[in-house]
Amino acid sequence: MRIIVHTGKGGVGKTSISAATALRCAEMGLKTIVISTDSAHSLADSLDKQLGPEATEICPNLWAQEIDVRYSMEQYWGRFQKQMAAMFSGRGVDDIVAEEVTVLPGLEEGAHLLWVNKYHNEGDFDVLIVDAAPTAETLRLLSLPEATRWWFNKTVRFMKGASKIMRPIGKMFNRADIPDGAAWDQVYQLFETLDNVRQLLSDPAHSSIRLVVNPEKMVIKETQRTYTYLNLYGYATDAIIANRIIPPEVTDPYFAQWKADQQSNLAYIQEAFGELPVLRAPLFSQEMGGLEALNMLADSLYGERNPAERLFDGRTHTIESDGAGGYLLTVPLPFTEKHELDVFRSRDELTLKVGSYRRNIVLPFALWDLAIDDARFEQSSLRIRFSGETKAVEVEPAPDEN
């Protein structure tokens, strides 16, 4: 199953792009589902159809779904949450408060990822289109599997071990509100699912991120930052979609300066994102609602091309042997300045931090006992050389960047 995630700054037209892409895939004979992970759902409005928390058939080969967070959490977190809430309630905490405090931070966003795993495992669809939330929320969503790994390893394992001891004691005092083995199994299943989704979405053979922009400076700047962070987390972007371009046939003088600015910004988009293909869609004279209008949008974006194809074969990071017992790790981080970047190392893991975002790269066994000899930021990539004995290191600029 191919997975295509559309994200971008709020208001750039992600939902229309997602709906049009899904419709075109369906018309090409691919069994397609489009899901919305934006809490402010507008997918139903774009398709002009009623949607719910489960998949709804729209037309031949096309299904759509607006994800309900509470509905999703009940399936993956319900048993554990009920037992934890009962434990808090038994200690005098208000029932509503008890239910809220037993939600793992970030889990509400993570509920969206659980549906990606479900559809992939079931194998009923050829294409899954994700109408994602605006960029900041999407980045939190995509970073959730790695962020929860620490919580799982440090907290959940300890709590499960403690509950094995406490449950027999609790029974002696007629306390049956300590989570049982089945509840903890649900927690394990949740974290395993999140990790599976991380691997799936970071595999360019299965998944692609497509960034939707309007040709405006503020939008382009945010999209550049998003592209950097997607590289940081290991997610492959295969296209930029420039939406709402004023067409040449608009000759009203009122739009002259706006058109000139757009053309300048379109040239900057092409320059800024290098080899990434840029798909273009015009500003239409009507709203993009309903299947007929979405078909017009799909025509402008794809023509005869299949939207489910991989549009660019990018690589997020590489590890190569230097032939002398050492290795070179290269992580592309376009639009990053050296002063924004920090690197931290443990034996089996490397943590990269750009601004307020971070990514953990699990190192292969061959690198565990090697030190970082050199770390440089050059040609928009972080290059880290491993060899010798373990020692601390700071990132140094390339000689020509001093």
Side-chain angles (χ1 to χ4, degrees):
M1 185 179 74
R2 281 284 290 143
I3 301 172
I4 301 171
V5 180
H6 294 111
T7 188
K9 188 176 175 63
V12 295
K14 299 181 301 296
T15 299
S16 298
I17 297 292
S18 297
T21 302
L23 181 59
R24 180 50 48 89
C25 289
E27 289 176 342
M28 289 188 161
L30 300 171
K31 192 174 180 182
T32 304
I33 182 168
V34 54
I35 65 175
S36 171
T37 67
D38 192 342
S39 55
H41 294 302
S42 56
L43 183 59
D45 297 327
S46 182
L47 292 166
D48 197 21
K49 302 286 184 179
Q50 290 290 328
L51 300 179
E54 292 280 355
T56 301
E57 187 171 5
I58 304 300
C59 61
N61 288 326
L62 179 60
W63 282 256
Q65 176 183 4
E66 290 184 335
I67 294 174
D68 183 294
V69 171
R70 291 293 173 180
Y71 179 86
S72 305
M73 287 176 58
E74 178 65 26
Q75 290 187 313
Y76 288 90
W77 192 247
R79 182 181 183 123
F80 180 79
Q81 187 183 25
K82 283 182 174 64
Q83 294 198 11
M84 289 293 289
M87 185 172 67
F88 281 114
S89 297
R91 286 156 176 75
V93 178
D94 182 86
D95 289 347
I96 296 178
V97 175
E99 182 178 343
E100 292 298 321
V101 300
T102 54
V103 177
L104 171 66
L107 184 59
E108 292 190 354
E109 293 93 339
H112 304 310
L113 296 178
L114 305 177
W115 287 96
V116 174
N117 186 73
K118 167 184 164 65
Y119 290 130
H120 175 262
N121 289 343
E122 291 177 350
D124 291 335
F125 295 98
D126 300 311
V127 184
L128 168 62
I129 307 293
V130 181
D131 170 30
T135 47
E137 187 175 338
T138 297
L139 287 170
R140 287 195 300 270
L141 177 66
L142 294 177
S143 64
L144 180 65
E146 292 192 2
T148 55
R149 185 189 303 160
W150 181 92
W151 196 92
F152 178 71
N153 289 333
K154 304 298 184 182
T155 306
V156 173
R157 294 182 187 278
F158 170 78
M159 291 175 65
K160 183 178 182 180
S163 69
K164 288 182 179 179
I165 299 173
M166 296 301 297
R167 280 190 65 80
I169 298 174
K171 289 180 180 179
M172 295 173 58
F173 295 94
N174 296 319
R175 295 302 303 266
D177 53 11
I178 299 173
D180 58 19
W184 285 109
D185 288 342
Q186 190 177 49
V187 179
Y188 273 86
Q189 180 188 16
L190 171 68
F191 281 93
E192 183 179 349
T193 299
L194 290 175
D195 198 55
N196 289 341
V197 174
R198 177 191 61 79
Q199 295 181 45
L200 182 63
L201 292 179
S202 60
D203 181 358
H206 288 96
S207 306
S208 298
I209 310 291
R210 293 180 184 170
L211 299 174
V212 183
V213 301
N214 297 149
E216 303 169 11
K217 282 186 178 180
M218 187 180 298
V219 177
I220 296 169
K221 288 295 184 183
E222 178 168 330
T223 307
Q224 287 179 300
R225 288 191 291 269
T226 301
Y227 183 51
T228 294
Y229 296 137
L230 288 172
N231 276 277
L232 186 68
Y233 294 130
Y235 297 108
T237 301
D238 77 343
I240 306 296
I241 299 178
N243 192 28
R244 297 175 182 157
I245 302 169
I246 300 175
E249 56 266 28
V250 176
T251 57
D252 190 321
Y254 180 84
F255 293 98
Q257 186 58 52
W258 194 0
K259 288 176 64 178
D261 290 344
Q262 282 198 347
Q263 291 306 309
S264 175
N265 289 330
L266 285 168
Y268 179 68
I269 289 173
Q270 196 71 60
E271 175 185 330
F273 293 97
E275 298 179 3
L276 276 176
V278 179
L279 309 183
R280 302 188 180 200
L283 176 65
F284 288 91
S285 59
Q286 64 184 77
E287 292 187 34
M288 289 293 99
L291 301 187
E292 184 178 347
L294 293 174
N295 257 319
M296 294 168 55
L297 177 56
D299 285 339
S300 67
L301 282 173
Y302 306 110
E304 299 298 320
R305 175 185 289 178
N306 182 353
E309 294 177 353
R310 289 172 62 185
L311 303 181
F312 176 75
D313 294 326
R315 303 180 71 182
T316 57
H317 68 268
T318 60
I319 299 177
E320 300 172 331
S321 173
D322 64 3
Y327 295 86
L328 178 66
L329 168 66
T330 303
V331 185
L333 295 173
F335 314 120
T336 300
E337 299 293 334
K338 187 260 177 181
H339 69 271
E340 299 176 306
L341 179 63
D342 287 311
V343 181
F344 308 93
R345 162 81 186 281
S346 63
R347 183 172 183 238
D348 62 346
E349 196 170 56
L350 195 71
T351 300
L352 309 181
K353 183 178 179 184
V354 177
S356 60
Y357 294 90
R358 66 175 60 220
R359 177 191 173 197
N360 297 323
I361 297 178
V362 177
L363 300 174
F365 179 77
L367 273 62
W368 284 12
D369 294 322
L370 300 184
I372 297 179
D373 264 2
D374 184 47
R376 295 176 178 269
F377 186 70
E378 53 188 0
Q379 298 178 352
S380 299
S381 293
L382 175 64
R383 305 178 191 278
I384 300 177
R385 189 171 300 280
F386 293 82
S387 63
E389 297 179 356
T390 303
K391 61 183 179 181
V393 68
E394 293 184 358
V395 179
E396 296 292 341
D400 59 352
E401 295 181 349
N402 283 326

